[in-house]
Amino acid sequence: MTTALRRLRNYIDGEFRDAADGRTTEVVNPATGEAYATAPLSAAADVDAAMAAAEAAFPAWRDLIPAERQKVLLKIADRFEERAEELIAAESENCGKPIALVRSEEIPPMVDQIRFFAGAARMLEGRSAGEYMDGFTSIIRREPVGVCAQVAPWNYPMMMAVWKFAPALAAGNTVVIKPSDTTPASTVLIADIIGSVLDELGHPRGVFNVICGDRETGRLMVEHNVPAMASITGSVRAGMQVAESASKDLKRVHLELGGKAPVVVFEDTDIAKAVEDISVAGYFNAGQDCTAATRVLVQESIHDEFVAALAKAASETKTGAIDDEDVLYGPLNNANQLKQVKGFIERLPAHAKIEAGGEQVGEKGYFFAPTVVSGLKQDDEIVQQEVFGPVITVQSFSDEKQAVEWANGVEYALASSVWTKDHARAMRMSKSLDFGCVWINTHIPLVAEMPHGGFKKSGYGKDLSAYGFDDYTRIKHVMTSLDG
């Protein structure tokens, strides 16, 4: 006897709907490798309906005073807390994530981020009004951009949805968001939460809409004539495609496209503490994090000691079932991602050495062992390209100059970290590292008040912070004559 698959649906104009043509795709639990739900495979008719709903709702939502939008977001944050166990269950099934870690590491920051943007709604900033030409007064208006087409990734489906909808709604925009085709469940649940709040407070239903589907669905959203802005978190290839599609009608684009974070460890570092923190920051979420500490550069004088300690930490790091509280991470998200990570290991050059891990774990699901690879050179594929898995690479550098050269010597520029007791060195490195974030003696903490975003092929635009809020607004100059 087979178990019936759960039926997920789009959320358009306050209603849950199947795709107009009835097409669906199966959603697989990566911890088991088995389908647990179906989701709509949305096409042009569905995208049209969602965009029409968002467009119709925009004028009323735009014209609300900020305090009213703040009330909505604060109520949404409260509802996230009230329904936290539902969100945790959905995300754990979505991604195979350990339940305890979703509860402790995702729900609290998501709620905090929504509340931060609720406050940001009332803190619109701009230059002061004044007379910059005799006889005329100038003022600056900061306005919402309009309908936002947003595409979220599969590594943090819930949290990335929050990073997108919270600043957009706070600024007065309306939203059509598409989760990844492999992880739609938690975003559909978020639609139910936000929809109920909008209904309770008497706001238009089309303010927030969810469309499920694949890459083609995302393309249709980005190319649609209604959105004024397209926002995506995903691969470099996907970001380039979005930028190209959006250029056809000059949509504003917000891109967060991954990273290859250097972790630069100098010889004066407390090795035990650095290894402890770096291993967690490298393996958390199975290394499926664009800021993960997976590219370590170690000064040659401590290289062997550091590698031995890191390999030991990897051997003691556990992956496994969602209900095991000793587990640091769950499976890779999907079969294709497992294949990609395996491919990097299989293609390692002869001079590379696997110090720990390097293989799939278990007979079902997409689990991969915590892995350490040493002996690598700067131009090796695994150093240059994003693995997006629980694989930490180690290189040995001679001096600060070489550390900077190798750290910056990749196409990505999202995040980085420096490990040293020398304050002056830390300051020099933070200046020289060409990355949107530099952590010193830590790696991966994020706060709502500070921006997250990179340079080069890591994309442009900021998430979180007032800078992230500003990205969802436009600037208008109003000038009036004093004569009449």
Side-chain angles (χ1 to χ4, degrees):
M1 185 176 71
T2 58
T3 303
L5 300 182
R6 193 179 342 142
R7 181 181 169 197
L8 303 174
R9 306 171 82 184
N10 292 330
Y11 187 80
I12 300 173
D13 203 17
E15 297 179 349
F16 285 101
R17 309 181 188 179
D18 295 321
D21 61 9
R23 290 194 303 157
T24 63
T25 183
E26 288 190 342
V27 185
V28 173
N29 183 333
T32 64
E34 299 174 353
Y36 70 91
T38 63
L41 190 56
S42 300
D46 308 297
V47 174
D48 286 344
M51 294 301 174
E55 186 177 35
F58 174 64
W61 185 251
R62 173 198 62 202
D63 292 343
L64 281 178
I65 62 171
E68 292 302 314
R69 291 198 297 270
Q70 181 189 47
K71 287 180 184 178
V72 174
L73 284 161
L74 290 175
K75 177 74 78 171
I76 291 170
D78 292 345
R79 199 62 51 83
F80 266 55
E81 286 184 323
E82 293 164 11
R83 300 181 65 176
E85 292 306 312
E86 294 176 68
L87 289 165
I88 292 164
E91 193 74 336
S92 293
E93 196 167 33
N94 248 350
C95 309
K97 295 185 181 189
I99 290 172
L101 287 175
V102 178
R103 181 178 292 116
S104 64
E105 303 300 322
E106 296 199 30
I107 296 294
M110 282 173 14
V111 170
D112 178 67
Q113 288 152 10
I114 297 169
R115 287 177 175 150
F116 170 82
F117 284 113
R122 300 179 70 170
M123 290 294 291
L124 294 168
E125 294 185 355
R127 297 184 186 276
S128 62
E131 289 68 52
Y132 301 93
M133 180 181 289
D134 288 341
F136 297 88
T137 294
S138 288
I139 62 173
I140 294 294
R141 292 182 56 88
R142 187 177 288 275
E143 302 176 339
V145 297
V147 176
C148 296
Q150 302 181 318
V151 179
W154 48 252
N155 58 334
Y156 291 100
M158 279 198 308
M159 190 173 292
M160 295 302 99
V162 167
W163 285 21
K164 293 189 181 302
F165 80 70
L169 295 184
N173 304 285
T174 54
V175 165
V176 178
I177 189 168
K178 187 191 88 66
S180 168
D181 55 339
T182 66
T183 56
S186 56
T187 311
V188 171
L189 179 55
I190 287 172
D192 184 56
I193 292 172
I194 294 178
S196 67
V197 171
L198 291 169
D199 272 351
E200 287 175 21
L201 298 181
H203 297 298
R205 291 182 162 194
V207 166
F208 183 82
N209 306 270
V210 172
I211 290 286
C212 299
D214 58 9
R215 189 173 297 166
E216 174 64 11
T217 312
R219 184 189 67 79
L220 290 169
M221 288 174 57
V222 172
E223 292 186 356
H224 202 277
N225 64 341
V226 165
M229 179 175 179
S231 170
I232 178 174
T233 300
S235 68
V236 172
R237 181 183 66 175
M240 288 178 170
Q241 290 171 344
V242 166
E244 182 179 2
S245 295
S247 71
K248 294 174 183 177
D249 58 0
L250 297 179
K251 283 185 180 69
R252 185 180 296 197
V253 178
H254 183 282
L255 304 174
E256 200 273 88
L257 305 178
K260 192 69 179 174
V263 180
V264 184
V265 182
F266 286 95
E267 61 187 358
D268 63 342
T269 300
D270 180 334
I271 293 177
K273 181 66 166 61
V275 164
E276 179 184 357
D277 291 354
I278 290 167
S279 61
V280 171
Y283 297 133
F284 187 81
N285 204 44
Q288 298 170 126
D289 190 314
C290 47
T291 63
T294 56
R295 182 169 65 104
V296 180
L297 307 173
V298 183
Q299 197 154 19
E300 57 191 9
S301 59
I302 62 167
H303 173 270
D304 293 351
E305 182 182 357
F306 184 92
V307 169
L310 187 61
K312 183 175 184 294
S315 69
E316 295 171 351
T317 299
K318 188 175 179 182
T319 180
I322 63 172
D323 56 355
D324 187 340
E325 295 194 359
D326 293 328
V327 164
L328 177 65
Y329 68 88
L332 296 167
N333 181 260
N334 54 74
N336 286 338
Q337 189 59 26
L338 175 62
K339 181 179 178 181
Q340 174 171 307
V341 173
K342 284 183 172 180
F344 275 102
I345 300 300
E346 291 165 358
R347 295 188 301 273
L348 283 173
H351 55 261
K353 180 182 178 183
I354 298 175
E355 303 280 355
E359 71 280 327
Q360 185 175 355
V361 177
E363 298 180 357
K364 64 179 182 178
Y366 310 131
F367 296 91
F368 201 83
T371 299
V372 177
V373 182
S374 67
L376 293 163
K377 299 178 181 179
Q378 179 66 11
D379 60 355
D380 288 337
E381 177 197 32
I382 200 169
V383 169
Q384 291 293 319
Q385 301 301 318
E386 189 173 31
V387 179
F388 225 56
V391 179
I392 297 178
T393 64
V394 184
Q395 298 168 259
S396 174
F397 69 86
S398 58
D399 55 24
E400 188 175 318
K401 180 180 177 182
Q402 188 176 64
V404 170
E405 179 185 347
W406 285 359
N408 289 340
V410 294
E411 294 182 328
Y412 300 91
L414 181 60
S416 59
S417 63
V418 179
W419 300 75
T420 181
K421 296 176 182 177
D422 186 330
H423 177 74
R425 174 191 283 153
M427 292 297 96
R428 289 194 304 271
M429 291 294 293
S430 66
K431 177 177 180 290
S432 299
L433 288 173
D434 189 21
F435 295 83
C437 174
V438 181
W439 287 291
I440 298 174
N441 294 325
T442 187
H443 193 106
I444 228 165
L446 296 169
V447 292
E449 294 87 349
M450 290 292 115
H452 176 80
F455 316 133
K456 294 162 49 175
K457 286 191 176 178
S458 288
Y460 44 81
K462 298 296 183 184
D463 290 311
L464 303 177
S465 79
Y467 299 99
F469 178 76
D470 288 350
D471 280 354
Y472 286 94
T473 67
R474 66 184 190 182
I475 303 299
K476 179 186 288 183
H477 170 218
V478 179
M479 192 178 215
T480 182
S481 169
L482 300 179
D483 287 346

